[in-house]
Amino acid sequence: EGISGRALVEAARAEGVLVSAGGDYAPDRADTSSLRISVSRSSGADLEKALECLGALARAAVRRAHRRAPGAEERREEALIQI
């Protein structure tokens, strides 16, 4: 909610983590607050590191969105990030 999946994809790419925007797989291709994560050839340690990075980027995006929306309903970050 309020977080651009495409913006999160770009932030992740800048950190070397490649994921796809969830909206790219929707019929209308609208930007959504979702990602598509595909795993093919990675070690458990690499996957854990990538997911930790994505989590940190998503939490930062949530904090920025809350700062831009004064008076927005307070929510816990964990509730906005669903795995």
Side-chain angles (χ1 to χ4, degrees):
E1 181 175 312
I3 307 301
S4 166
R6 290 193 175 93
L8 193 52
V9 165
E10 291 306 314
R13 182 168 294 161
E15 297 295 323
V17 178
L18 303 179
V19 293
S20 299
D24 290 350
Y25 299 90
D28 63 1
R29 298 186 54 82
D31 192 11
T32 62
S33 59
S34 62
L35 299 176
R36 181 173 243 188
I37 301 172
S38 299
V39 179
S40 60
R41 291 172 284 187
S42 291
S43 69
D46 287 341
L47 181 57
E48 185 174 345
K49 184 177 173 183
L51 292 174
E52 286 174 359
C53 179
L54 282 173
L57 291 169
R59 284 188 294 278
V62 167
R63 283 192 290 274
R64 283 192 304 275
H66 278 274
R67 282 196 297 266
R68 285 192 308 263
E73 180 183 349
E74 289 296 322
R75 296 186 189 169
R76 292 176 47 108
E77 291 174 0
E78 294 85 8
L80 296 173
I81 303 168
Q82 300 174 6
I83 295 179

